[in-house]
Amino acid sequence: MYIAAVILSVLLALVFLAAGAPKMQLKGAVPDGLIEKGLSSGLVRFVGVAEAAAAVGLIVGIWWQPLGIAAAAGMVVVLIGAINFHAKRGEYGDSATRNAAITPIVLLLVAVATAVTLAVSL
């Protein structure tokens, strides 16, 4: 089970580091799009920092599982916020935005699986 936990942790950390870095710097299409949709630049930067911190926590959590579990749980909170954001904007019902809106749901499932595999491998 530990190998699965490592694989999930690394993959999820890479995704969240790639997602968080542009938001922290407020550079790129994603942060610009979020700001255009009504999020403040401070909130976008905060989400980016949370994503990057969770990525670091997952990597460190490979060796110290309690931190990895906490990082995955933090990701779950961020992803629930993202799902709520997309739902309030009606993006799940719009075929033009549905694919991007489904990403947080998939990542939520991976974050839960990561937390569970880390907990089981204690």
Side-chain angles (χ1 to χ4, degrees), residues 24-44:
M24 284 191 311
Q25 300 170 2
L26 295 177
K27 293 183 179 178
V30 172
D32 291 343
L34 291 171
I35 291 169
E36 287 174 10
K37 291 178 180 179
L39 293 181
S40 69
S41 60
L43 181 57
V44 172

Side-chain angles (χ1 to χ4, degrees), residues 50-65:
E51 290 173 345
V56 171
L58 277 173
I59 296 302
V60 174
I62 291 170
W63 294 277
W64 188 43
Q65 282 89 349

Side-chain angles (χ1 to χ4, degrees), residues 81-98:
I83 292 166
N84 186 43
F85 174 76
H86 290 295
K88 283 184 177 179
R89 295 190 44 80
E91 294 179 0
Y92 293 107
D94 183 0
S95 61
T97 58
R98 185 176 303 127

Side-chain angles (χ1 to χ4, degrees), residues 12 16 72-73 75-81 83 102-115:
L12 198 58
F16 270 84
M75 285 182 173
V76 167
V77 172
V78 169
L79 290 165
I80 289 172
I83 292 166
I102 289 191
T103 302
I105 295 172
V106 173
L107 291 174
L108 175 68
L109 296 173
V110 175
V112 169
T114 302

